[in-house]
Amino acid sequence: MVENIGMKPSRRGFLRTALAGGGALAVGSTAARAEGDPVILEPRPWNQFLGEGVDARPYGFPSEHEAHVRRQDVPWLTADPISSVNFTPLHELDGIITPNGLCFERHHGGIAEVDPAEHRLMINGLVDRQIVLTMQDLMRFPRENHVYFLECAANTGMEWAGSQLNGCQFTHGMIHNVMYTGIPLRLILAEAGVKPSGSWILVEGADASGMTRSIPMEKALDDCLVAFKMNGEALRPEQGYPVRLVVPGWEGNMWIKWLRRIEVGDQPWHHREETSKYTDLLADGRARRFTWEMDAKSVITNPSPQAPITHGPGPTVLTGVAWSGRGTIPRVDVTLDGGINWHDARMSGPSFNKSMHRFYFEFNWDGQPMLLQSRAHDSTGYVQPTKNQLREIRGENSIYHNNGIQTWAVDKDGRAENVEIS
Amino acid sequence: MVENIGMKPSRRGFLRTALAGGGALAVGSTAARAEGDPVILEPRPWNQFLGEGVDARPYGFPSEHEAHVRRQDVPWLTADPISSVNFTPLHELDGIITPNGLCFERHHGGIAEVDPAEHRLMINGLVDRQIVLTMQDLMRFPRENHVYFLECAANTGMEWAGSQLNGCQFTHGMIHNVMYTGIPLRLILAEAGVKPSGSWILVEGADASGMTRSIPMEKALDDCLVAFKMNGEALRPEQGYPVRLVVPGWEGNMWIKWLRRIEVGDQPWHHREETSKYTDLLADGRARRFTWEMDAKSVITNPSPQAPITHGPGPTVLTGVAWSGRGTIPRVDVTLDGGINWHDARMSGPSFNKSMHRFYFEFNWDGQPMLLQSRAHDSTGYVQPTKNQLREIRGENSIYHNNGIQTWAVDKDGRAENVEIS
């Protein structure tokens, strides 16, 4: 991941280099501040008085000045808060790691508060020996560490019908990206001994919704993890504490939380959550049976409706995230004029398989209105489509798997709005 | 980072494969549980009743069952809690990311609660133009994302005199490893324009201790970052919110928190924190002037005094962390018998420059006492020394920069203790 923005140490300033004359704007304002800025000339309380000591926060929390950085739901979108969803504040984040406290939530029966001492993982069905594992038993299996994105199949779903939600937190915030520590699922299946006829697994959660999904054995033996840590510490209760399934690159509802049972069978179960939900209705009335993989997708997080440009014309940093359930993201294109001209974005940070990627585009804003879009290319060569290209193939009945290109319209005051352009 | 523990899908269980006959122990116990374990046979509350909804936690927190996972200080070690330190619970973590709430703290004037709207960064001294930057000004510079460890120079310092602190949290917990988003320092220096005579910088914090350190210009122009985010979100107050300096691979006290001023000069300042502290007194009474880089080091986090083996003999997972201020960690050796036999540990997770690395060693514990040690090799070829090798060169007056090999003695009951063997 060691990358460099490609600027050599220079005696000329970045802002001036980037701007020529225009740079005087920013430079002038900062130089002026040096003369009479009371905030730098007068001591502030934190310069003068000792702060709290190390006993104050055995487990830390954000500054009070960051109270606006929080998960939010959309009341009209989901009336019932128990079977509901909230959204990651993508416009307030940077890099590729989603902090545990801000990972979006999707529950079918609310947050299960599981006591790990009383949690068990059963492996049954077409196995040599049905087994039941305690958390301590799980700690005796080999572990791996991987960073993966988890995206809800319904992320951006409301946008099928047009531009409805005014902020990337709401249009694209059903995603998070964390480092998991877990046990390769194939090792746990091998412990029970999968019978030759075992070709599917049913994974079941311990929460009140009894969430279940069918997963083909090929995927189960490939890269699935039985995970117990996220970003170094125990899973959060809302993310499946003490143990969840990780299904890299596949839709989030398959990543069963509070994982309590894995049944081995010879065909899919077609349970509630893979028939009444999480199927894609096509234009001709037929529905896709399964849509597991999340296609390549990207979104500009800044500027965006919740994060307008407030500094006026001049040097401006555009940033966003991109991901693919099929590999890495070697390239993201960015346009400021609705697709007339495309520019290569600068990727910065680790590029992991089936993980979120961070991109930047630094430009000198002239203060005129813009139409911002990003377009992801994944390592298979797939290019993120427009919404209309998706509609041509999938019709307009869909809710799930909308990976179309998102447009933000920025006005001359820097305000951004969710719009759609043909 | 995509690595594999190298086990192919198999019809034979891992525990059995690893153990031959001994495997029956673990397998038998789990199989037995399947028959009459009330915890799997009877419904638990979280299976029966709906949990809290998505409105409950706009910013999430760990399960109540993880309340023991916390930063801790050592009262007798530092009498004054304001100018003090606490320790990262390494034995409770896995992977390589330290969650923000558990990153150890070291303050010289307590936690500064800075209002970002009233924070400024001044660049002065041997520059073409003194400038003062607001947080908004900083947001207009290009950013990079990198994962780096931060280790206090005093980490493991108490162990110079022998084995004193009984737990890796206390012997090695003055370290954390996070992904930073920040601005290359060279771009900010270029904005002010460094004069040809500018060969050093003085970095100063906005807290009540007025913490300062001198840094050579070569390092400042190399990989230093002016960082405003850690693990995706804003820096925590105790880690320098709203902005801190990142000095990759160098001792933690140079990573000035609440960064408010950077002065360019033509020689080091020799301020308080680089003379009265953070210098290494040698055996002959002379002191090293500067010791910036952190040498290659490792520690076994599990088993350890705070994390004994509780499952009895049989398949056991040993794990730990390793790092180097000079590069990556391609290899870690592990011994179970105090250095008579060394084994290659399995590295798992990303290998980044100047970042923490995670290693594992799975073995079949015979229930006999063990002497556990780990030995890190870094990408420069440097090998982590024994404590006695360090003492031969540095004497016994030192407090800082102890990267000696750590030993845990495990008894037949699985209890671990901090010991030293010659």
Side-chain angles (χ1 to χ4, degrees):
Chain A
M1 82 173 261
V2 178
E3 51 76 63
N4 185 302
I5 64 158
M7 289 192 197
K8 290 253 182 307
S10 158
R11 302 288 172 189
R12 293 199 66 212
F14 164 74
L15 295 178
R16 281 168 290 152
T17 307
L19 288 188
L25 278 169
V27 174
S29 64
T30 54
R33 261 188 226 98
E35 302 310 318
D37 184 350
V39 173
I40 186 89
L41 296 177
E42 300 160 10
R44 316 320 282 178
W46 49 85
N47 313 138
Q48 299 168 283
F49 308 108
L50 295 176
E52 285 188 305
V54 296
D55 299 335
R57 301 171 188 179
Y59 192 95
F61 43 84
S63 164
E64 63 184 14
H65 299 287
E66 297 295 308
H68 58 285
V69 180
R70 62 189 202 278
R71 300 183 286 212
Q72 294 190 67
D73 60 4
V74 177
W76 65 260
L77 187 60
T78 50
D80 174 3
I82 299 300
S83 172
S84 189
V85 61
N86 61 21
F87 302 87
T88 303
L90 294 174
H91 61 294
E92 295 284 358
L93 305 180
D94 211 324
I96 70 163
I97 295 293
T98 313
N100 292 345
L102 293 172
C103 291
F104 85 97
E105 301 173 73
R106 172 71 175 110
H107 310 305
H108 295 72
I111 303 171
E113 298 284 354
V114 177
D115 177 352
E118 297 198 345
H119 186 73
R120 300 289 184 268
L121 175 58
M122 168 181 275
I123 318 296
N124 69 330
L126 299 175
V127 294
D128 298 335
R129 293 164 308 102
Q130 169 177 294
I131 60 174
V132 178
L133 301 169
T134 63
M135 290 306 295
Q136 184 178 64
D137 295 331
L138 289 173
M139 293 305 103
R140 304 176 75 172
F141 284 83
R143 309 163 197 168
E144 292 185 5
N145 298 293
H146 297 279
V147 179
Y148 294 121
F149 76 83
L150 182 162
E151 183 181 16
C152 178
N155 198 25
T156 323
M158 291 301 97
E159 299 301 297
W160 273 112
S163 54
Q164 294 199 64
L165 294 166
N166 216 26
C168 66
Q169 176 171 17
F170 307 113
T171 57
H172 291 74
M174 280 195 272
I175 186 168
H176 55 65
N177 199 65
V178 309
M179 178 174 292
Y180 294 97
T181 302
I183 303 154
L185 176 57
R186 65 179 175 280
L187 297 182
I188 293 173
L189 290 172
E191 183 62 24
V194 175
K195 292 187 183 298
S197 56
S199 53
W200 288 79
I201 62 170
L202 182 77
V203 283
E204 178 183 83
D207 65 320
S209 78
M211 182 79 183
T212 50
R213 279 300 307 256
S214 305
I215 298 175
M217 186 63 70
E218 182 181 14
K219 179 67 172 179
L221 297 178
D222 177 14
D223 57 2
C224 289
L225 296 176
V226 173
F228 48 88
K229 283 197 157 47
M230 58 193 294
N231 292 334
E233 67 185 345
L235 295 173
R236 294 295 176 86
E238 62 268 35
Q239 301 299 339
Y241 179 82
V243 62
R244 88 174 301 164
L245 190 66
V246 169
V247 190
W250 289 22
E251 57 184 18
N253 62 82
M254 305 179 80
W255 299 45
I256 296 297
K257 297 188 284 192
W258 314 290
L259 182 67
R260 74 170 171 189
R261 193 169 69 91
I262 301 173
E263 180 177 343
V264 177
D266 57 8
Q267 57 187 336
W269 282 256
H270 294 116
H271 274 194
R272 181 182 74 242
E273 303 296 342
E274 49 199 0
T275 51
S276 72
K277 286 199 211 69
Y278 304 118
T279 55
D280 299 324
L281 184 59
L282 302 176
D284 63 4
R286 292 179 307 143
R288 285 179 170 175
R289 189 188 192 192
F290 297 120
T291 308
W292 294 318
E293 285 179 309
M294 302 307 293
D295 290 313
K297 188 169 173 179
S298 68
V299 65
I300 293 169
T301 56
N302 308 79
S304 65
Q306 296 163 287
I309 301 173
T310 56
H311 55 58
T316 302
V317 173
L318 177 154
T319 187
V321 287
W323 60 92
S324 169
R326 294 186 168 87
T328 59
I329 300 290
R331 172 183 164 192
V332 173
D333 310 321
V334 169
T335 180
L336 306 180
D337 52 21
I340 299 169
N341 299 287
W342 290 93
H343 314 276
D344 282 351
R346 173 175 62 87
M347 310 304 292
S348 175
S351 174
F352 297 134
N353 189 36
K354 302 169 184 174
S355 170
M356 192 177 275
H357 292 58
R358 173 64 57 175
F359 66 87
Y360 298 98
F361 180 67
E362 294 86 15
F363 67 102
N364 181 21
W365 184 39
D366 60 8
Q368 294 306 305
M370 299 183 285
L371 289 171
L372 306 181
Q373 298 179 325
S374 62
R375 182 175 62 194
H377 300 244
D378 77 13
S379 49
T380 71
Y382 175 92
V383 181
Q384 182 180 4
T386 64
K387 286 189 194 176
N388 286 336
Q389 287 172 323
L390 282 178
R391 292 180 180 121
E392 286 169 22
I393 298 168
R394 309 251 307 269
E396 306 205 13
N397 296 327
S398 291
I399 298 171
Y400 307 110
H401 295 278
N402 175 0
N403 67 316
I405 289 173
Q406 178 68 44
T407 308
W408 305 128
V410 178
D411 70 17
K412 59 180 175 44
D413 297 320
R415 289 184 298 252
E417 189 180 354
N418 181 0
V419 301
E420 193 168 327
I421 57 177
S422 51
Chain B
M1 82 174 263
V2 177
E3 51 74 66
N4 187 301
I5 63 161
M7 287 188 202
K8 289 251 180 311
S10 157
R11 301 288 173 190
R12 294 198 65 212
F14 163 74
L15 295 178
R16 283 167 290 153
T17 308
L19 288 188
L25 279 169
V27 173
S29 65
T30 52
R33 261 189 227 99
E35 301 311 319
D37 184 351
V39 173
I40 185 88
L41 296 176
E42 300 161 8
R44 313 322 280 180
W46 49 86
N47 313 138
Q48 299 168 282
F49 308 109
L50 295 175
E52 286 188 304
V54 296
D55 298 335
R57 301 172 188 179
Y59 192 96
F61 43 84
S63 164
E64 62 184 13
H65 298 288
E66 297 295 308
H68 58 287
V69 180
R70 64 191 201 279
R71 301 183 286 213
Q72 292 190 68
D73 60 3
V74 177
W76 65 262
L77 187 61
T78 50
D80 175 3
I82 299 299
S83 172
S84 189
V85 61
N86 60 20
F87 302 87
T88 304
L90 295 175
H91 60 295
E92 296 284 358
L93 304 180
D94 211 324
I96 69 164
I97 295 293
T98 313
N100 291 346
L102 294 172
C103 291
F104 84 98
E105 300 173 72
R106 171 71 175 111
H107 310 306
H108 296 71
I111 303 171
E113 299 284 355
V114 176
D115 177 352
E118 297 198 345
H119 187 72
R120 300 288 185 269
L121 174 58
M122 167 181 275
I123 318 294
N124 68 331
L126 299 176
V127 294
D128 298 334
R129 292 166 309 105
Q130 170 178 294
I131 59 174
V132 178
L133 301 170
T134 63
M135 289 306 296
Q136 184 178 66
D137 294 331
L138 288 174
M139 294 304 103
R140 304 176 73 172
F141 284 84
R143 309 164 196 168
E144 291 185 5
N145 297 292
H146 297 279
V147 179
Y148 293 122
F149 76 83
L150 182 163
E151 182 180 18
C152 178
N155 198 26
T156 324
M158 291 301 97
E159 300 300 297
W160 273 112
S163 55
Q164 295 198 62
L165 294 167
N166 216 25
C168 65
Q169 177 171 16
F170 307 112
T171 57
H172 290 74
M174 281 195 273
I175 186 168
H176 56 65
N177 199 66
V178 309
M179 178 175 293
Y180 294 97
T181 302
I183 303 154
L185 176 56
R186 66 180 174 280
L187 296 183
I188 293 173
L189 290 171
E191 184 62 24
V194 175
K195 291 185 183 300
S197 57
S199 53
W200 287 79
I201 62 170
L202 181 76
V203 282
E204 178 182 83
D207 65 323
S209 77
M211 181 79 182
T212 50
R213 280 299 307 257
S214 304
I215 299 175
M217 185 63 70
E218 183 181 12
K219 180 68 173 177
L221 296 179
D222 177 16
D223 58 3
C224 290
L225 296 175
V226 173
F228 48 90
K229 282 193 158 48
M230 59 193 293
N231 292 334
E233 67 184 345
L235 294 174
R236 292 296 174 86
E238 62 268 34
Q239 301 298 339
Y241 178 82
V243 63
R244 87 173 303 162
L245 190 66
V246 169
V247 190
W250 288 23
E251 56 184 18
N253 61 83
M254 307 179 80
W255 299 43
I256 296 297
K257 297 187 284 190
W258 314 289
L259 182 67
R260 75 168 172 191
R261 194 170 68 92
I262 301 172
E263 180 177 343
V264 177
D266 57 8
Q267 57 187 337
W269 282 257
H270 294 116
H271 275 195
R272 181 182 74 241
E273 304 294 345
E274 50 199 357
T275 51
S276 72
K277 286 200 211 69
Y278 304 119
T279 56
D280 299 326
L281 184 60
L282 301 176
D284 62 5
R286 292 180 307 144
R288 285 179 170 175
R289 188 187 191 193
F290 295 120
T291 310
W292 293 317
E293 285 180 306
M294 302 307 294
D295 290 313
K297 189 168 173 179
S298 68
V299 66
I300 293 168
T301 56
N302 309 78
S304 65
Q306 296 163 287
I309 301 173
T310 56
H311 54 57
T316 303
V317 174
L318 177 154
T319 187
V321 287
W323 60 93
S324 169
R326 293 188 167 85
T328 60
I329 301 288
R331 171 183 163 192
V332 174
D333 308 322
V334 169
T335 180
L336 307 179
D337 52 21
I340 299 169
N341 300 286
W342 290 94
H343 314 275
D344 282 352
R346 173 175 61 88
M347 311 303 293
S348 175
S351 174
F352 297 132
N353 189 37
K354 302 168 184 175
S355 170
M356 193 176 275
H357 292 59
R358 171 66 56 174
F359 65 87
Y360 299 98
F361 181 67
E362 294 86 15
F363 67 102
N364 180 21
W365 183 41
D366 60 7
Q368 294 306 303
M370 299 183 285
L371 288 172
L372 307 180
Q373 297 179 328
S374 63
R375 182 174 62 193
H377 301 244
D378 77 12
S379 49
T380 70
Y382 175 93
V383 181
Q384 183 180 3
T386 64
K387 287 189 193 175
N388 286 334
Q389 287 172 325
L390 281 177
R391 291 181 181 119
E392 287 169 20
I393 299 168
R394 309 254 305 269
E396 306 204 13
N397 296 327
S398 290
I399 297 170
Y400 306 110
H401 296 277
N402 177 359
N403 68 317
I405 289 173
Q406 177 68 43
T407 309
W408 306 126
V410 178
D411 70 16
K412 59 179 175 46
D413 297 320
R415 290 183 297 253
E417 190 180 355
N418 180 1
V419 301
E420 194 168 326
I421 57 179
S422 50

